């Protein structure tokens, strides 16, 4: 940090201490902890859900205004510097860190759910409405949360020459500097919880896919084995750094995902997919404001919003600091305009086309079957059930299993890198000892969580961790407003 009082970084021992304390509480008071987390998560979504909606819409417009204003011309680094990473590498890394395995988890299940359970009454065909609402929950708003943190942190890092810590963005504006430690520790813990949940869910999906493809009945030991392999590979990637590890695996992810996407697209009804993609995208843009505010006929009701949109918004917010730091770290040499428009538009359109391909093809399958008996209801196996209806189904499923593991690796390695930045005094290239330590902590914590869920199967421990993210997202929701205000004040001061 910039203050002498903060030269000894206490974030590592404090974070590990709090993590151990929470782990002990979860282990010895699992049931009561689950009840408390569930109740608090529901409370956050009930009383702050609409606040999240308003904040999300405000973030989208705020970033667009910044991007198209003179502020958007600000260069992140020296004026004559070229981007540190090519556009292809940059997109691959930000997408792998920002969405990753989630697009495989929900590729078929979510559009089908929205088709079978329309969020609200509409004149649109159920398939178009289903895709439109899926786009809405994975589109501009999610990336606006990421983009806001990325913009502020990148500006602090490459223009103000601060260190890569969330608290550095507001260091000179808080009267009580002790609050800064709280901000950074909360970011660290939220990143760890999010990562544990992502790895736990991802490895569970991989196990479900293996069981489905090979008609097996593998148990917890396979999940633990998969978790160990994924974290070890991620640790090696983080050890090698952004250029030699994270960038290469991120590119591999995108190439593999595009291969599955193109194959599915070619062997499906191409005109139908293109028609649904353009129609749903058009209506999404047209209806974006009323959907974002849940106005009138666009209001799905509190129960639906709480289970879906509020949950997504809180989840994206909880991931925004970690993802924002990583995007900022790889955006040196770009302008704020390039950063913001790139983050908002490119991954959103890619995600829309992804869901259009898999969703439209699944709609077509149901029509061919003559009815739907919840074949795609299981979020862990839906994509494998879907791919069984295509040529080379076994190979497709094997490639999908590989892609799931690879996406998890990039989520872990980028998170390990960011956590290491935090605990190594905000260095852009943190010590390898920190990278190794955080890899070990993540592995141990994830295995412990999986074991705890197996010991007490009546309690969904992974869901509890996800709900915990909803709770930790609330401080970030308010902090994002404060951070945006500080950023704007700093930028205008320099004009």
């Amino acid at each position: 940090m910039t203050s002498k009082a903060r030269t000894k970084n206490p974030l590592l021992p404090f974070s590990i201490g709090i993590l151990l304390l929470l782990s002990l509480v979860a282990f010895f008071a699992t049931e009561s902890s689950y009840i408390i987390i569930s109740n608090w998560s529901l409370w956050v979504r009930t009383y702050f859900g609409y606040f999240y909606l308003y904040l999300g819409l405000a973030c989208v417009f705020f970033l667009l205004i910044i991007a198209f204003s003179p502020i958007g011309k600000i260069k992140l680094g020296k004026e004559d510097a070229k981007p540190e990473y090519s556009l292809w590498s940059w997109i691959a890394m930000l997408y792998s860190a920002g969405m990753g395995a989630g697009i495989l988890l929900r590729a078929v299940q979510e559009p089908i759910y929205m088709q079978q359970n329309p969020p609200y009454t509409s004149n649109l065909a159920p398939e178009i409405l289903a895709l439109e609402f899926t786009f809405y929950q994975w589109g501009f708003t999610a990336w606006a949360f990421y983009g806001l943190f990325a913009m502020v942190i990148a500006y602090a890092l490459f223009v103000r020459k601060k260190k890569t810590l969330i608290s550095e963005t507001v260091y000179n504006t808080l009267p009580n500097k002790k609050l800064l430690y709280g901000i950074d520790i909360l970011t660290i813990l939220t990143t760890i919880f999010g990562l544990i949940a992502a790895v736990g869910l991802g490895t569970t999906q991989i196990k479900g896919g293996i069981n489905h493809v090979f008609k097996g009945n593998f148990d917890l030991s396979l999940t633990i084995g998969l978790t160990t392999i994924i974290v070890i590979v991620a640790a090696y990637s983080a050890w090698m750094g952004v250029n030699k590890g994270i960038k290469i695996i991120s590119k591999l992810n995108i190439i593999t995902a595009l291969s599955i996407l193109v194959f599915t697209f070619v062997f499906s009804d191409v005109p139908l997919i293109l028609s649904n993609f353009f129609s749903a995208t058009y209506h999404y843009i047209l209806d974006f404001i009323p959907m974002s505010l849940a106005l009138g006929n666009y209001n799905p009701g509190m129960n639906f919003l709480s289970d879906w949109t509020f949950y997504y918004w809180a989840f994206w917010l909880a991931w925004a600091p970690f993802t924002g730091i990583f995007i900022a770290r790889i955006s040196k040499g770009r302008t704020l305009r390039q950063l913001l428009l790139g983050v908002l538009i490119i991954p959103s359109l890619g995600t829309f086309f992804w869901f259009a391909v898999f969703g439209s093809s699944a709609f077509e399958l149901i029509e061919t079957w003559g009815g739907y008996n919840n074949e795609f209801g299981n979020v862990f196996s839906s994509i494998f059930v879907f791919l069984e209806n295509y040529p080379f189904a076994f190979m497709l499923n094997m490639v999908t299993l590989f892609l799931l593991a690879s996406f998890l690796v990039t989520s872990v390695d980028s998170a390990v890198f960011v956590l290491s930045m935090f605990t190594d005094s905000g260095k852009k290239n943190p010590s390898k000892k920190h990278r190794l330590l955080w890899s070990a902590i993540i592995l141990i914590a994830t295995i412990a969580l999986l074991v705890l869920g197996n010991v007490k199967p009546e309690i969904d421990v992974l869901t509890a961790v996800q709900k915990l993210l909803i709770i930790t997202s609330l401080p970030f929701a308010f902090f994002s407003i404060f951070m945006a205000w500080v950023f704007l004040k700093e930028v205008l001061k320099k004009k």
Side-chain angles (χ1 to χ4, degrees), residues 371-386:
Y372 179 61
N373 294 309
N374 205 35
E375 288 87 350
F376 301 129
N378 188 323
V379 71
F380 295 119
S381 63
S382 58
I383 193 165
F384 301 105
V385 174
F386 170 81

Side-chain angles (χ1 to χ4, degrees), residues 179-197:
L179 289 173
L180 300 172
Y181 288 131
I183 293 168
D184 289 334
I185 289 173
L186 181 64
T187 305
I188 290 170
L189 293 176
T190 302
T191 300
I192 293 170
F193 295 143
L195 204 57
I196 291 171

